[in-house]
Amino acid sequence: MRKNIILITALAMSLTACKSNHQETWMNHALDVASGQLKSTAEELTGTNMIPRSIHAGYDLNFLDSQLQREDKSYIDSLRPNPSAKQLKQKYICGIEDWTSGFFPGSLWYAYEMTGDEELKTRAIQYTNMLNPIRRLKNTHDVGFMINCSFGNALRLAPNDTIKAVITETADNLCARFNPEIGCIRSWDFGYWNFPVIIDNMMNLDLLFNASKLTGDSKYYDIAVKHAQTTMKNHFRPDYTSYHLVSYNNDGTIEKKQTHQGKNDESAWSRGQAWAVYGYTSCYRETKDAAFLQEATNIADMIMQRVKTEDCIPYWDYDAPAGEATPRDASAAAITASALFELSTFVPDGKKYFDYAETIIKNLSSDKYLAVKGNNQGFVLMHSTGSLPHGSEIDVPLNYADYYYLEALQKYKGLTE
Ligand code: GLY
């Protein structure tokens, strides 16, 4: 009997070792690829004042038509020009005022955090400092993404006295876009809408929560909470899918609801659903308001039910025609995984969220999505989609897919090690 118990224990121990060796293997490989890609890109772009965003890719009009299945062809007016033959497959770089500028420095911070590699830290500081002028940018809500992913991570990993001023100055500019009559922060200053608010704007609230903690001033917190409450009231359909955009009249009534980057106004644009579940998970973390937790779990359950791909990496829109040719959005998957790891710690039945997020990051770490080191123009993941109805960034790497993938890996490590 005693001999049997010893045998069973030994077997169990070797199975556990196998599992953790397996985890180490895929995780180490992912971190090796990510560190190599990020370091070579940082080196390549040093001195240019530019940030890597994506890869120039073209599109075929008939293909877009078959994805969108729209009677109304007016989307053709907003298509981005197809890249020139010389540009095709080249790296797409952007300036610091691009909405995605915070993600590359943020990825460097996460890679540094997980590897301890000092070269990554030096690069993270270099690319974070490049974004200092963004503290004065007033014409977009995206400053939350830009500054929180760069300086916000710097504050966690290499705090210094100047970071507080950058975060609070940026947060003041974001708050200046808040309209108390409407109860929301204005997203865009371009376009034909009266007061557009996009679901992505939920992602800018972490900057405000940080500013509140840094200054002790509750005004940032109060604005974040009001924005989240108004969005919860107006952005969601009864099935918990989110519109991309709600535009308000000046008295707070609704001007229109749309899905600007999705298949059509009533479709579930994949990244929008990911921003939503992430945003309400963050809001619950910061406020402990049960209404935000309920919203986050409702959205998470909807995502798990609606994503029909076998590997849980969604098509670019949940309502896109299912099939091999339909582009995926790895960025939506990575954002969802990061949110679901955190959400899994807030609820008693969190294991289902943890398991789903684990499936996503393991699949993103497979050859199908993870780059081969030295390829993919220095990006970590392949197969994301920026905005298909605009002919923009279809089936390409995106810097924010890399950022949220690394963030998800970091959370996974924190929960499993
Ligand atoms: N925030 C813009 C996007 O998600 O494409």
Side-chain angles (χ1 to χ4, degrees):
M1 176 68 179
R2 199 177 137 70
K3 214 168 152 191
N4 280 350
I5 291 172
I6 291 170
L7 264 178
I8 290 166
T9 312
L11 185 65
M13 279 171 65
S14 72
L15 281 176
T16 312
C18 250
K19 194 173 170 211
S20 86
N21 281 347
H22 173 67
Q23 174 175 324
E24 245 177 43
T25 316
W26 70 261
M27 176 74 84
N28 287 350
H29 175 62
L31 289 179
D32 181 53
V33 170
S35 303
Q37 299 290 82
L38 292 167
K39 283 198 266 189
S40 66
T41 305
E43 170 70 25
E44 182 192 336
L45 294 181
T46 289
T48 64
N49 219 34
M50 299 298 268
I51 302 276
R53 173 170 161 151
S54 182
I55 292 181
H56 290 288
Y59 55 84
D60 173 89
L61 198 49
N62 291 328
F63 175 69
L64 294 193
D65 239 2
S66 71
Q67 287 290 304
L68 293 168
Q69 300 174 316
R70 289 184 190 171
E71 303 256 300
D72 172 10
K73 304 292 179 206
S74 60
Y75 75 88
I76 290 172
D77 300 339
S78 61
L79 286 179
R80 272 167 60 121
N82 252 320
S84 66
K86 202 164 155 233
Q87 276 180 317
L88 263 180
K89 305 256 188 305
Q90 291 303 303
K91 193 182 265 113
Y92 168 13
I93 54 177
C94 64
I96 61 168
E97 294 198 1
D98 188 274
W99 78 273
T100 70
S101 64
F103 297 121
F104 183 64
S107 293
L108 288 161
W109 281 118
Y110 277 126
Y112 160 64
E113 183 175 14
M114 287 185 278
T115 61
D117 182 334
E118 287 294 322
E119 185 186 338
L120 287 165
K121 182 181 181 185
T122 305
R123 292 303 193 184
I125 293 170
Q126 173 194 342
Y127 281 88
T128 295
N129 285 340
M130 258 172 67
L131 266 58
N132 187 44
I134 299 304
R135 66 203 288 175
R136 289 184 284 278
L137 195 65
K138 294 185 166 68
N139 65 0
T140 174
H141 71 138
D142 285 323
V143 291
F145 278 119
M146 293 147 126
I147 293 300
N148 208 46
C149 299
S150 54
F151 284 92
N153 278 309
L155 184 67
R156 279 191 319 110
L157 298 170
N160 72 50
D161 294 344
T162 57
I163 298 174
K164 176 179 168 187
V166 177
I167 289 183
T168 49
E169 204 177 328
T170 311
D172 284 331
N173 288 332
L174 190 55
C175 287
R177 300 178 65 78
F178 178 74
N179 180 323
E181 202 72 37
I182 292 170
C184 271
I185 297 164
R186 184 185 179 107
S187 293
W188 295 332
D189 285 0
F190 60 85
Y192 52 83
W193 305 278
N194 183 60
F195 190 98
V197 179
I198 59 173
I199 190 65
D200 325 28
N201 203 340
M202 288 297 299
M203 301 299 285
N204 293 308
L205 304 184
D206 270 333
L207 177 88
L208 300 184
F209 289 126
N210 268 345
S212 224
K213 281 183 265 190
L214 282 171
T215 58
D217 187 339
S218 63
K219 90 169 175 201
Y220 306 104
Y221 178 100
D222 293 343
I223 286 178
V225 168
K226 185 68 192 166
H227 179 94
Q229 287 168 339
T230 308
T231 299
M232 194 158 79
K233 195 161 84 190
N234 295 323
H235 257 79
F236 292 89
R237 307 182 182 102
D239 64 357
Y240 297 105
T241 57
S242 173
Y243 285 96
H244 180 198
L245 182 152
V246 175
S247 179
Y248 293 89
N249 297 308
N250 293 344
D251 62 0
T253 56
I254 308 291
E255 184 194 24
K256 48 171 73 89
K257 298 188 180 191
Q258 293 180 318
T259 297
H260 190 59
Q261 287 172 229
K263 182 169 179 245
N264 57 54
D265 285 341
E266 294 307 318
S267 74
W269 172 51
S270 301
R271 200 162 50 257
Q273 315 317 309
W275 293 143
V277 72
Y278 192 117
Y280 284 98
T281 303
S282 290
C283 281
Y284 176 70
R285 180 211 317 121
E286 299 299 334
T287 63
K288 295 288 174 272
D289 181 336
F292 291 148
L293 182 61
Q294 189 62 56
E295 188 71 7
T297 56
N298 288 340
I299 302 164
D301 293 344
M302 175 278 294
I303 291 175
M304 288 165 57
Q305 208 219 323
R306 287 288 312 273
V307 174
K308 297 286 189 218
T309 50
E310 77 299 337
D311 60 5
C312 302
I313 314 302
Y315 297 122
W316 67 278
D317 188 298
Y318 294 174
D319 296 295
E324 273 299 298
T326 296
R328 303 295 184 99
D329 185 9
S331 78
I335 298 158
T336 301
S338 181
L340 264 52
F341 280 133
E342 185 163 21
L343 185 59
S344 76
T345 66
F346 295 150
V347 287
D349 60 345
K351 189 171 178 312
K352 65 179 177 181
Y353 301 128
F354 178 91
D355 289 347
Y356 191 83
E358 185 182 47
T359 301
I360 290 178
I361 59 163
K362 283 188 174 168
N363 287 334
L364 289 178
S365 305
S366 72
D367 293 349
K368 185 170 171 197
Y369 296 96
L370 186 68
V372 170
K373 218 173 11 170
N375 291 6
N376 204 32
Q377 292 291 347
F379 292 93
V380 181
L381 292 182
M382 304 179 275
H383 305 308
S384 291
T385 297
S387 184
L388 189 139
H390 299 98
S392 174
E393 299 174 324
I394 301 166
D395 193 18
V396 287
L398 289 169
N399 58 15
Y400 41 100
D402 292 357
Y403 175 84
Y404 289 102
Y405 169 64
L406 290 168
E407 184 180 85
L409 290 184
Q410 187 262 357
K411 288 182 184 172
Y412 181 72
K413 272 171 84 71
L415 292 171
T416 53
E417 281 173 9

